[in-house]
Structure formats: structure tokens, C-alpha cells
């Protein structure tokens, strides 16, 4: 039903999607950009009427100065704000437009897929992630996130295949290994799950915490047997 599905989506921990929606790293970047635009607007409005703009000079920018934003950066910031404020339908439109303008960049359709997942539109999410992966076959995040859709649908074997593709492309992402572990755990393949969890912890001891730093990676934490999972994870912490 709708409420059950909404609860399940809420349990999907996005490695950094939480930070995109309220974490300090992306929030600070957004605030700095907005502050810079406000300051620039005030400088322009303070110029005397009829005064011409000063001649540009080849003076190096001082440390800490914010360079003028490009059109692409402004569009990306707008899309990030929409995601951060959970305005997912508008975010889908914004990232889809970016994907049209920059068709060789896979990250935009990846974000479309994440927004679709948050809305429960899993078929649309699959299409978006598959399109992202087709744009760049080395874009590991798309394969990982595609795996998370299949995991949500309890197709754990298909999810595992996608997670393993992500790991093969980027073996240094802790979230990918944790997802491999979840897929093994869901299939009750405990030895393989423990190995994957150990690799995840070796790369990032905080991988199983709620907060994170990477906004483009979905991390699956929808576990039915929480007691057994906590026991398995505790053993891994003890051995790491």
C-alpha cells in the first residue's frame, strides 16, 4: 500500500542524499553560492545611476573570492536546491533539462532516478539509471542505484549483479560493498555478507551511520531481520 511503500523509501539511506537534503556539506555550498549572488546584486544596485561598469583588469582573484557562476552551475545549484527541499517533481524536470543540454554527462539522469525513487516511481527510476549507465558505462553510481531499485523490489539476485558491477568499476567506495553485503544478507548467504561488510568497514568505519557525504549513491538499509543483521554487523566491527 502507499503508506508501507513510503516507509520503505524513507529507509533507503542515500550516501549523501541525506546530506543533499540537509547535511552540512551541500547545504554550506548552497548557502555560499546564494550569499555570493546576494552580495553581487547589492553591489550592482549600489552603483550610481548612469555610472558605467569599471573596466575589467587582469588582477588575480583573491583567496576566498567566489568566481562568477556559469549558466550550467546556476542550473545545477537550482536542481540541488529542489532536491534538498524535497521538491522532487520539479527536481526531475530540472535534471532532465540539464541532461538534454549536456547529454554526455551521466550524473543528471542518475539524479532523475534518485528523485523518481523518492516519489515511488520505480519503473521511471530504472529507466533513468539505465540511461545514465548507457551514457557512461564506467559511471558506477548508476549501476549501484539500479541495484537498489531491484533490492527494494526484493529481487536480490538482480540487485547483487548491479552492486557487483559498481564494485568492479570503483572498488574504493564503501557504500558499494555495504550494498553487496545487504544483498548477500537478504539471500541468507552470511559468509559472503560478512566479507562484504568487512571490506566496507575497512574503507570507511562510518559507512553504516545515517549521515554521509556522497549525494549520488543510494545505500540500502531495508533489512527484515534486524536482530540477525545487528549481530552480524557487531561481529564485523569486532574483527575490523
Amino acid at each position: 500500500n502507499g503508506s508501507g511503500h513510503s516507509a520503505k523509501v524513507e529507509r533507503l539511506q542515500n550516501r549523501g542524499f541525506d546530506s543533499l537534503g540537509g547535511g552540512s556539506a551541500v547545504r554550506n555550498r548552497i548557502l555560499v553560492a546564494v550569499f555570493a549572488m546576494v552580495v553581487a546584486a547589492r553591489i550592482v544596485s549600489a552603483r550610481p545611476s548612469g555610472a558605467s561598469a569599471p573596466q575589467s583588469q587582469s588582477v588575480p582573484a583573491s583567496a576566498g573570492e567566489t568566481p562568477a557562476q556559469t549558466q550550467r552551475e546556476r542550473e545545477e545549484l537550482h536542481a540541488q536546491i529542489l532536491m534538498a527541499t524535497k521538491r522532487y517533481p520539479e527536481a526531475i524536470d530540472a535534471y532532465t533539462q540539464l541532461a538534454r543540454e549536456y547529454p554526455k554527462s551521466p550524473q543528471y539522469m542518475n539524479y532523475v532516478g534518485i528523485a523518481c525513487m523518492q516519489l515511488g516511481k520505480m519503473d521511471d527510476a530504472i529507466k533513468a539509471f539505465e540511461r545514465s549507465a548507457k551514457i557512461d558505462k564506467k559511471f558506477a553510481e548508476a549501476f549501484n542505484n539500479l541495484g537498489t531499485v531491484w533490492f527494494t523490489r526484493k529481487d536480490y539476485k538482480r540487485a547483487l549483479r548491479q552492486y557487483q558491477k559498481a564494485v568492479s568499476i570503483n572498488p574504493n567506495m564503501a557504500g558499494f560493498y555495504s550494498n553487496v553485503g545487504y544483498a548477500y544478507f537478504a539471500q541468507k548467504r552470511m559468509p559472503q555478507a560478512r566479507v562484504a561488510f568487512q571490506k566496507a568497514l575497512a574503507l570507511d568505519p562510518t559507512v553504516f551511520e545515517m549521515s554521509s557525504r556522497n549525494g549520488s549513491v543510494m545505500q540500502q538499509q531495508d533489512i527484515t531481520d534486524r536482530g540477525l543483521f545487528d549481530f552480524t554487523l557487531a561481529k564485523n566491527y569486532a574483527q575490523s
Side-chain angles (χ1 to χ4, degrees):
N1 59 44
S3 60
H5 175 76
S6 298
K8 179 174 289 185
V9 171
E10 285 297 322
R11 291 195 295 269
L12 290 174
Q13 295 304 314
N14 172 9
R15 297 273 309 158
F17 183 69
D18 285 340
S19 70
L20 186 60
S24 60
V26 174
R27 185 193 310 122
N28 289 342
R29 189 167 76 245
I30 292 173
L31 290 176
V32 168
V34 172
F35 176 76
M37 288 188 288
V38 171
V39 171
R42 289 184 177 179
I43 291 173
V44 171
S45 64
R47 185 179 300 151
S49 176
S52 60
Q55 295 292 322
S56 62
Q57 299 178 2
S58 58
V59 178
S62 302
E65 284 188 6
T66 304
Q69 283 187 318
T70 65
Q71 177 65 24
R72 181 174 183 174
E73 289 170 337
R74 286 193 293 271
E75 291 179 20
E76 287 178 342
L77 177 61
H78 175 65
Q80 289 171 359
I81 292 172
L82 293 174
M83 289 286 276
T85 53
K86 300 184 179 181
R87 295 158 62 184
Y88 300 124
E90 295 171 77
I92 289 171
D93 291 340
Y95 278 116
T96 300
Q97 179 61 32
L98 279 163
R100 291 194 198 101
E101 295 172 359
Y102 309 100
K104 294 184 179 180
S105 298
Q107 67 269 26
Y108 301 130
M109 290 309 301
N110 185 54
Y111 279 115
V112 169
I114 291 173
C116 287
M117 285 193 72
Q118 296 299 321
L119 293 172
K121 297 180 177 181
M122 296 304 175
D123 289 337
D124 290 340
I126 289 173
K127 292 176 183 177
F129 292 138
E130 287 180 340
R131 181 174 166 188
S132 176
K134 186 176 181 179
I135 293 171
D136 184 354
K137 292 181 174 57
K138 295 296 184 181
F139 189 64
E141 287 89 338
F143 293 103
N144 175 82
N145 296 344
L146 186 57
T148 302
V149 178
W150 293 120
F151 192 105
T152 303
R153 290 184 162 180
K154 301 187 184 302
D155 191 337
Y156 303 125
K157 290 183 179 180
R158 189 174 291 185
L160 180 60
R161 286 197 296 271
Q162 298 300 327
Y163 291 149
Q164 288 173 329
K165 285 181 183 179
V167 167
S168 68
I169 295 169
N170 182 0
N172 298 313
M173 176 68 75
F176 295 166
Y177 281 107
S178 70
N179 281 348
V180 169
Y182 285 121
Y184 278 129
F185 184 90
Q187 298 177 71
K188 303 188 184 303
R189 299 167 67 180
M190 299 308 168
Q192 295 94 329
R194 283 195 292 269
V195 170
F197 289 147
Q198 286 170 353
K199 289 181 178 178
L201 288 168
L203 287 169
D204 182 1
T206 68
V207 66
F208 295 103
E209 294 180 5
M210 299 294 283
S211 62
S212 184
R213 296 174 295 280
N214 189 331
S216 63
V217 177
M218 301 293 288
Q219 183 173 329
Q220 178 64 42
Q221 291 190 347
D222 184 28
I223 296 298
T224 54
D225 193 340
R226 175 57 61 177
L228 178 58
F229 174 76
D230 289 343
F231 175 73
T232 302
L233 196 58
K235 288 182 65 176
N236 281 355
Y237 271 112
Q239 296 171 8
S240 62

